[in-house]
Amino acid sequence: MQKIQIKRKECTLDKELLELTGNVLSSNPDIYTLWNIRRDILQLFKKSNDNIEEMSQVYNAELHLTEYCLKINPKSYCAWHQREWVLLTRDDPDWQKELELCNTYLKLDERNFHTWDYRRFVVSQCKPSLKDEFDYTTEKLMDNFSNYSAWHYRSKMLVELYPDRKGGRPIEDSHHKHELKMVQNAAFTDPDDTSAWFYQRWLLGAVKTTIDLVNYTVTPTKNTFAFSKHVDKNYVSAKTKLLINNCVVNGEWVSCTGNCYDVLWIFQHSTPITKKINIKVEYEIDNGQKQIIQGVECKEMFYIGKNQIKFERNYSEAVIEELKDQLESCRQLLNLEPDSKWTMLTTTIFLHCIDAKAYHTEAIQNLQKLKVIDKLRAGYYDDLIAKWCIEKQLCSDYENADLALKFSFPSPVSSLPYLQYYSYCDSVDLSNQQLTSNIFPSLIVLQHCKKLSLENNNLTTMKNFPDLDLVELNLLGNEKLDRNEIELFTKKYNFNIIY
Amino acid sequence: MMDEDFPTDFQVIVVGTGMVESIVAAACSRIGKNVLHMDSSDHYGGLWASYNFEGLQKFIKEVNSDPDRQKQVYNLSEKWFIEKESAQGETTDENKGEPRKVWSQADFAAEYRKFNIDTTPKLLFSRGPLVELLISSNIARYAEFRCVTRVLTWLNDQLMPVPCSRADVFATEAVGIVEKRMLMKMLTSIVGYSEEEMNNEFKDWNNKTLKEYLTHKGLTPNLIHYILYAIAGGNNSLPCLEGVKECKKFLMSLGRYGNTPFLWPMYGSGELPQCFCRLCAVFGGVYCLNRPIDKVETKTVDEGKTVVTIDSKSKKLNCDHLVIGVHECPEELMSSEPAESCDISKAVFVTNGTIMASEKEPLTLLRFPPLADDDNAVTVLEVGPATGSCPKGLFVVYFITKKTKDAESDLKPYAERIFDMSGGDQTAATDKPKCLWSLFYNVKDTSSPVSSVVDNVHVCSGPDAGLDFDRAVEQAEQIFKKICPGEEFLPRAPNPEEIVFEDDVTHGPEFQREQDEEAEPKE
């Protein structure tokens, strides 16, 4: 090794150095530096050598070395990378040979993700028939469906090969159904094999989604716009127009957190907001159509526009039928194996996907059961419970004109998704949950909140409390909070703090 | 031909080259015993032999003309379904673009050498005692094997593939989704039981059948069919624990070499006794074919030792131990305990296609559940040209069952289900392959162990109706233990390259140790 280092320092990048590094790498392929040196040497050779045949041989020798190293360690990042480099550098790459190499390696170990990754690289270069690649994954899965890489690769092919152009969905119906059936076969043959379940979750999530403007609040002091997903400034300013008395208002968009992407945007303009004016927002959706959201004066000079919201995924009839079918089988399987975590979870997700409203109670009960069966992931189930309960509550809250928010959960929660949907609320009651101080940053979206109650939670510190325009903050029942810290906090802000 | 200075005294004489006899011969020779191995025929294998087509014709003639032979093999009947001579030229099958040969009896005669037809066809379980023995003794290198590619059953009046492995269960469309779960669950739990757990789980099922157990567990009729008939290879009355053990045997052998638990020897089961004979010879065993025996006597010599003497073609051969096939053994030497036996009905067919289409040439095990109430289950083995059993374009199909009436009556109804036995135009498109030639015969069941009246005469049983060689291996080992107590049974024989001679001579370059651990079946 010393010799190598000396030579490198002296910049004698020659055949001898190639030999030395080759010998060392043959016993230990994972010394990244040596591969680096070799690349330097090869590049030097290329510069000073016009002979294509000679360079070809040099490259072939390099490939040979990588193959040897891969025999020792088929998961060597360095060796695979070197191979990739050679293929990209040389003028005469043989992609077919590379594809065959992948096939050979995948025969030896069909689950080596390095090989699958390399395959993606090769495919991106030589572009063989996607259908052939897709069929290859089928072949591999038929041999052994316990193969996360194959399912993953398949998902990439599926979306490229069979998109639903007419319906605008990522996957065409009959294929979506076929995949759901295939993955169900895997899941039932061996419910403990997680790769199938993950693919199924992906399939269920492979639907068209939209970015919605969910609400806006216009007051003399602040104008906030809440979105269903994180968006950037260009998106907001292009798609959203505020109209006061039918005149477009010009202004500046500022994210409420200061980040590039945000769910809550603040619109700064100089048009005065008074009583009884006509406030409208024009929001451009996917197909170029414009939604008009009418503002309602809920309090004096306090205008709120709430959009139609829905959380149901947009499945086609055919897929819903398939899901109902599979739900039946899941129920049968649950009868046989009531403690099977994956079956229970999938049943629950199916219920939610088919009809979240109708099956809400059953789904939540299942999630409670899952917390017991699958103790290690109790937190995940808790978050899911919070999410689905808020979704349900949002649907009814958006129908009424209430400005106060109080959550009703079956048991205390520790996470609060969708808070931006409630950005218009002036009174927010988050008491009697299991919130920790980690919740603070997300509270920034409660831009119009005046009264906030965090009574009876698990707060430990006041650090990172968001800059809100509060009148009252209730911190009672948070035993771990340090009195001194609260006192300092009180001095900083001039709103009423109960503790 | 034995000449005058041929030795007449051996430690062990083995008469008959059937499977049990051959394994014993090899084992004795291997540990240094002085062995003479004889057979009255001109070929190896005895009742376990395989024949080319000419040899088979000779066998049929011999049996039909010799009442003595008919004590072992009877009701032998051969039938041709094709013309004696070839018609003009070949007809091209339009659909396939390949010429589909029209076979005549003359063609069979011309290609007689390409046939290797077994009288006792059997499979090897990939993790069964025979494979383990072949590997541990290194006798495996004398033979090649192919994997059985599929297991079929007869269900709802048609041939159906049996899903045995996880990949099969995943891919099959014949089984509903919840059924898949039930099947996998049952199979995984069976494989998972240790001996103790198994006895525990099934202790209340001692007097019940496997069928009752599976029904009790809520399995659907289709699943019960697969497990009971195809995997356990049983019938409705198969006792529970025995059935579960059969299932476990099947499942444990899955995946070792291929997608099914079974191997088939290249050139047929008749190769296997020969492999053991070869080992015997390598370690000094002497071989004599065409040597019938006339008389066997036992004599007590000094020190109370008993010696066995054989009269053969006017030579007197002496040995300490005589190992003799049940068919060769004089009756007076065998104890007359009535043994439970059930004769075997067998059939061999030559057809012009496989019973179920397949991409690559298949090697099939088909298990028929009984078609009529009083029937026994029927085992069918279909082997093709790639196994060296027949010329290209043909298949050899073996049927085995326990005798109810006679071979033809027992087996014809099953054959008719999967073959077209009408003769006629070979090129006509049919959904079943055409049967070109058939042979039915019954075999007396001599598989029960027989004890001899003398301690140092050991009687080797004949073939049983079962699918594998396990009983033969077991019996051979028992006999060996009696002859050579305390000795190792077929320890690994070194490869020639491994033998290093320790001399006072300068050593040449080191021989490399051979790495092969297992017999490698051809794909």
Side-chain angles (χ1 to χ4, degrees):
Chain A
M1 276 300 279
Q2 260 198 344
K3 201 164 182 199
I4 295 175
Q5 283 166 331
I6 294 171
K7 284 194 90 139
R8 198 195 191 176
K9 241 191 171 156
E10 291 173 1
C11 292
T12 28
L13 304 173
D14 59 8
K15 268 213 170 90
E16 195 197 354
L17 193 50
L18 211 57
E19 218 184 282
L20 288 170
T21 51
N23 286 338
V24 180
L25 285 170
S26 302
S27 1
N28 181 357
D30 290 309
I31 306 173
Y32 189 86
T33 314
L34 298 185
W35 290 109
N36 243 343
I37 295 175
R38 288 181 80 82
R39 283 194 283 275
D40 285 343
I41 299 173
L42 290 183
Q43 279 181 320
L44 198 65
F45 278 7
K46 186 174 186 179
K47 263 197 212 136
S48 55
N49 191 337
D50 275 334
N51 189 334
I52 300 180
E53 254 199 56
E54 257 182 55
M55 277 316 289
S56 207
Q57 281 191 14
V58 172
Y59 288 129
N60 283 341
E62 196 65 18
L63 289 179
H64 194 75
L65 178 64
T66 63
E67 246 184 88
Y68 184 83
C69 291
L70 285 171
K71 270 208 183 81
I72 303 171
N73 178 10
K75 300 191 180 182
S76 163
Y77 282 96
C78 303
W80 284 110
H81 180 257
Q82 187 75 346
R83 221 185 156 83
E84 216 175 287
W85 180 84
V86 170
L87 265 300
L88 284 173
T89 312
R90 70 188 298 175
D91 297 316
D92 55 345
D94 184 352
W95 296 112
Q96 198 49 41
K97 179 157 176 255
E98 293 307 298
L99 207 58
E100 271 155 31
L101 184 93
C102 285
N103 288 348
T104 312
Y105 274 98
L106 286 173
K107 253 210 186 100
L108 294 169
D109 179 4
E110 73 254 10
R111 297 159 81 170
N112 184 345
F113 68 81
H114 293 259
T115 320
W116 284 100
D117 215 33
Y118 188 70
R119 195 188 180 89
R120 269 192 285 276
F121 157 71
V122 171
V123 162
S124 72
Q125 294 295 319
C126 70
K127 304 201 195 300
S129 143
L130 275 186
K131 179 86 180 26
D132 285 344
E133 286 301 293
F134 187 76
D135 289 339
Y136 184 73
T137 64
T138 312
E139 192 189 306
K140 283 286 163 218
L141 288 167
M142 284 294 158
D143 280 340
N144 180 4
F145 59 77
S146 182
N147 188 339
Y148 193 89
S149 299
W151 288 112
H152 178 244
Y153 191 53
R154 192 183 177 83
S155 68
K156 302 286 175 205
M157 301 285 119
L158 191 64
V159 176
E160 283 231 37
L161 273 175
Y162 306 117
D164 177 11
R165 297 195 195 285
K166 236 179 16 176
R169 296 201 169 89
I171 310 171
E172 191 268 316
D173 261 359
S174 63
H175 286 277
H176 207 169
K177 257 182 100 150
H178 176 262
E179 293 301 301
L180 281 168
K181 265 208 161 60
M182 185 176 178
V183 89
Q184 188 195 35
N185 271 299
F188 274 67
T189 304
D190 185 358
D192 288 328
D193 187 71
T194 49
S195 55
W197 296 107
F198 277 111
Y199 186 67
Q200 187 189 57
R201 283 296 283 274
W202 175 81
L203 282 172
L204 289 174
V207 286
K208 196 171 84 162
T209 50
T210 52
I211 305 174
D212 302 317
L213 169 65
V214 299
N215 72 51
Y216 66 86
T217 315
V218 170
T219 73
T221 47
K222 198 177 277 182
N223 294 203
T224 61
F225 288 72
F227 294 87
S228 61
K229 291 207 187 109
H230 286 76
V231 289
D232 70 354
K233 191 171 174 172
N234 289 334
Y235 181 88
V236 173
S237 46
K239 306 276 181 181
T240 325
K241 303 248 176 300
L242 174 64
L243 292 101
I244 298 182
N245 292 330
N246 294 310
C247 288
V248 175
V249 176
N250 292 318
E252 267 300 307
W253 290 96
V254 176
S255 104
C256 86
T257 54
N259 293 329
C260 253
Y261 283 83
D262 211 328
V263 286
L264 193 77
W265 285 85
I266 299 172
F267 190 51
Q268 292 168 338
H269 64 91
S270 44
T271 313
I273 303 296
T274 53
K275 295 191 282 192
K276 294 203 178 69
I277 50 177
N278 181 357
I279 303 231
K280 268 205 303 243
V281 165
E282 247 178 36
Y283 179 67
E284 190 184 313
I285 52 178
D286 259 356
N287 50 15
Q289 276 190 325
K290 291 201 168 60
Q291 282 179 331
I292 313 266
I293 307 159
Q294 186 66 43
V296 173
E297 191 172 6
C298 299
K299 294 199 295 215
E300 202 171 86
M301 295 191 283
F302 195 91
Y303 298 85
I304 301 177
K306 286 186 191 167
N307 201 351
Q308 300 264 32
I309 53 166
K310 78 168 188 153
F311 297 101
E312 295 96 61
R313 288 187 185 144
N314 189 2
Y315 295 120
S316 67
E317 265 308 306
V319 170
I320 297 264
E321 281 312 305
E322 180 62 30
L323 290 181
K324 285 187 182 158
D325 219 23
Q326 294 206 10
L327 178 64
E328 257 324 290
S329 310
C330 271
R331 286 202 197 279
Q332 283 182 52
L333 189 55
L334 259 186
N335 276 337
L336 294 172
E337 293 173 47
D339 286 337
S340 166
K341 162 220 163 144
W342 285 106
T343 319
M344 171 73 89
L345 180 57
T346 308
T347 307
T348 312
I349 292 171
F350 279 166
L351 290 173
H352 186 76
C353 291
I354 294 171
D355 191 340
K357 239 193 210 148
Y359 292 120
H360 180 87
T361 321
E362 190 183 344
I364 302 296
Q365 273 172 359
N366 283 355
L367 288 174
Q368 311 275 34
K369 278 191 210 148
L370 277 163
K371 278 168 69 175
V372 176
I373 298 174
D374 190 15
K375 289 195 175 60
L376 287 177
R377 276 158 279 270
Y380 171 77
Y381 299 122
D382 267 331
D383 286 355
L384 209 50
I385 291 174
K387 185 164 180 241
W388 290 356
C389 286
I390 295 183
E391 284 178 12
K392 178 160 183 271
Q393 190 171 332
L394 271 171
C395 289
S396 54
D397 281 350
Y398 263 53
E399 302 287 306
N400 65 43
D402 216 337
L403 293 181
L405 165 61
K406 179 160 173 56
F407 285 122
S408 60
F409 295 120
S411 48
V413 298
S414 51
S415 70
L416 291 173
Y418 300 124
L419 268 183
Q420 75 273 25
Y421 282 66
Y422 288 109
S423 56
Y424 62 84
C425 292
D426 61 7
S427 157
V428 176
D429 183 352
L430 301 177
S431 62
N432 298 306
Q433 305 298 335
Q434 279 177 349
L435 303 173
T436 66
S437 303
N438 290 334
I439 201 79
F440 287 160
S442 62
L443 298 178
I444 187 78
V445 296
L446 300 172
Q447 289 281 308
H448 299 276
C449 179
K450 298 292 169 215
K451 256 177 82 175
L452 176 61
S453 171
L454 286 163
E455 189 177 344
N456 290 330
N457 275 289
N458 293 340
L459 302 180
T460 48
T461 169
M462 293 311 292
K463 236 161 80 183
N464 293 325
F465 191 83
D467 208 357
L468 294 175
D469 203 10
L470 296 174
V471 165
E472 183 186 288
L473 173 63
N474 185 336
L475 295 172
L476 285 172
N478 287 288
E479 306 299 312
K480 297 207 185 99
L481 276 179
D482 180 44
R483 278 200 90 84
N484 295 329
E485 201 187 350
I486 304 181
E487 309 235 324
L488 281 171
F489 184 80
T490 324
K491 292 198 170 66
K492 210 168 119 187
Y493 296 99
N494 53 8
F495 48 76
N496 185 16
I497 300 178
I498 311 170
Y499 61 96
Chain B
M1 266 311 228
M2 282 188 190
D3 51 29
E4 289 317 312
D5 42 52
F6 191 89
T8 55
D9 295 283
F10 295 89
Q11 287 174 301
V12 181
I13 297 184
V14 183
V15 176
T17 49
M19 190 63 168
V20 184
E21 301 92 297
S22 303
I23 299 178
V24 177
C28 292
S29 178
R30 173 72 182 87
I31 51 123
K33 291 277 186 197
N34 178 235
V35 177
L36 168 66
H37 199 172
M38 302 168 21
D39 197 304
S40 52
S41 342
D42 61 356
H43 58 269
Y44 290 91
L47 278 172
W48 310 69
S50 67
Y51 298 99
N52 63 36
F53 207 73
E54 202 175 271
L56 191 62
Q57 296 291 311
K58 197 168 149 211
F59 169 79
I60 295 170
K61 269 205 191 80
E62 276 173 15
V63 169
N64 282 339
S65 60
D66 182 1
D68 248 356
R69 284 297 284 270
Q70 285 166 32
K71 288 190 191 146
Q72 308 153 15
V73 177
Y74 57 101
N75 287 341
L76 191 68
S77 88
E78 182 192 17
K79 183 171 173 191
W80 285 100
F81 295 76
I82 53 181
E83 299 296 330
K84 275 218 156 99
E85 298 294 331
S86 318
Q88 282 88 356
E90 297 168 345
T91 331
T92 314
D93 188 322
E94 298 291 333
N95 297 335
K96 293 208 182 114
E98 276 169 24
R100 197 156 184 206
K101 186 170 166 133
V102 175
W103 288 83
S104 68
Q105 297 183 27
D107 290 324
F108 272 57
E111 305 215 39
Y112 78 94
R113 258 193 254 270
K114 296 205 181 135
F115 287 92
N116 275 295
I117 296 184
D118 280 304
T119 45
T120 305
K122 282 183 182 294
L123 294 177
L124 294 84
F125 274 95
S126 303
R127 286 204 173 90
L130 182 57
V131 168
E132 297 300 343
L133 183 61
L134 288 169
I135 294 172
S136 67
S137 63
N138 208 6
I139 295 178
R141 73 204 143 106
Y142 293 144
E144 288 173 276
F145 299 88
R146 295 196 87 88
C147 296
V148 169
T149 61
R150 60 190 182 179
V151 176
L152 305 179
T153 186
W154 185 261
L155 175 60
N156 299 331
D157 267 339
Q158 53 177 318
L159 284 172
M160 299 278 277
V162 175
C164 353
S165 64
R166 202 172 84 129
D168 285 345
V169 176
F170 169 56
T172 178
E173 290 171 26
V175 171
I177 196 86
V178 179
E179 282 183 303
K180 285 192 188 198
R181 181 70 205 117
M182 292 167 102
L183 180 60
M184 278 308 293
K185 207 164 168 221
M186 177 58 69
L187 297 180
T188 9
S189 65
I190 290 178
V191 167
Y193 288 133
S194 68
E195 184 83 34
E196 208 189 301
E197 287 167 341
M198 202 180 275
N199 291 329
N200 206 14
E201 166 81 13
F202 295 97
K203 63 180 188 301
D204 297 326
W205 291 85
N206 273 330
N207 297 323
K208 304 214 172 77
T209 65
L210 181 61
K211 189 168 185 179
E212 288 173 292
Y213 175 74
L214 296 174
T215 317
H216 168 83
K217 280 284 181 178
L219 267 64
T220 57
N222 274 3
L223 295 184
I224 296 179
H225 182 109
Y226 286 132
I227 297 181
L228 183 59
Y229 300 123
I231 294 178
N235 57 23
N236 293 337
S237 51
L238 179 66
C240 184
L241 187 58
E242 190 184 321
V244 171
K245 287 188 171 150
E246 283 299 307
C247 284
K248 181 160 183 189
K249 190 167 150 195
F250 182 101
L251 297 168
M252 292 294 285
S253 282
L254 273 180
R256 185 179 200 182
Y257 297 113
N259 205 28
T260 71
F262 306 107
L263 295 177
W264 169 265
M266 276 291 289
Y267 309 109
S269 309
E271 283 299 295
L272 293 173
Q274 293 186 57
C275 293
F276 286 93
C277 291
R278 188 162 162 190
L279 187 87
C280 181
V282 164
F283 280 86
V286 177
Y287 274 83
C288 283
L289 294 181
N290 280 317
R291 196 98 203 169
I293 57 171
D294 310 311
K295 201 158 79 163
V296 177
E297 279 176 326
T298 57
K299 236 182 359 210
T300 320
V301 294
D302 13 85
E303 301 145 60
K305 188 170 131 183
T306 321
V307 153
V308 185
T309 311
I310 299 175
D311 284 357
S312 171
K313 285 193 186 174
S314 73
K315 262 224 158 339
K316 260 191 161 28
L317 304 162
N318 306 308
C319 63
D320 300 329
H321 289 273
L322 173 66
V323 179
I324 184 164
V326 63
H327 299 287
E328 305 275 6
C329 189
E331 280 194 36
E332 64 271 15
L333 284 176
M334 294 192 282
S335 71
S336 55
E337 298 153 27
E340 212 185 281
S341 78
C342 178
D343 283 1
I344 308 168
S345 285
K346 285 183 162 162
V348 188
F349 300 87
V350 174
T351 65
N352 69 354
T354 172
I355 52 180
M356 195 165 104
S358 154
E359 244 181 74
K360 292 199 206 136
E361 179 186 307
L363 215 171
T364 313
L365 167 67
L366 161 61
R367 281 173 143 157
F368 265 104
L371 288 177
D373 274 334
D374 291 329
D375 284 359
N376 292 305
V378 174
T379 304
V380 178
L381 289 171
E382 183 192 77
V383 298
T387 65
S389 303
C390 57
K392 203 156 159 243
L394 299 178
F395 279 84
V396 178
V397 193
Y398 299 103
F399 281 58
I400 308 124
T401 188
K402 289 203 169 129
K403 172 166 164 266
T404 324
K405 190 156 167 251
D406 65 84
E408 190 158 348
S409 313
D410 292 343
L411 295 172
K412 198 146 175 231
Y414 294 83
E416 282 168 341
R417 290 288 201 287
I418 58 177
F419 300 140
D420 172 352
M421 300 184 71
S422 63
D425 184 6
Q426 284 176 48
T427 58
T430 48
D431 50 350
K432 297 190 217 169
K434 274 213 177 289
C435 174
L436 308 181
W437 172 92
S438 71
L439 179 69
F440 291 97
Y441 59 104
N442 282 102
V443 174
K444 182 149 187 291
D445 177 20
T446 52
S447 63
S448 301
V450 173
S451 34
S452 88
V453 298
V454 184
D455 260 346
N456 51 359
V457 171
H458 312 273
V459 185
C460 298
S461 304
D464 64 359
L467 188 59
D468 57 46
F469 290 94
D470 292 3
R471 278 179 93 167
V473 174
E474 210 182 286
Q475 195 183 65
E477 190 168 358
Q478 279 169 4
I479 293 176
F480 171 78
K481 287 201 164 109
K482 285 209 201 110
I483 299 175
C484 313
E487 298 274 7
E488 200 179 338
F489 182 56
L490 283 169
R492 188 173 187 277
N495 287 319
E497 309 88 86
E498 292 172 358
I499 302 172
V500 178
F501 294 96
E502 297 285 333
D503 280 338
D504 276 347
V505 179
T506 340
H507 288 204
E510 282 265 302
F511 289 104
Q512 286 238 275
R513 284 222 138 242
E514 202 159 344
Q515 291 298 310
D516 66 318
E517 277 289 283
E518 305 191 347
E520 275 160 34
K522 267 199 191 155
E523 271 298 302

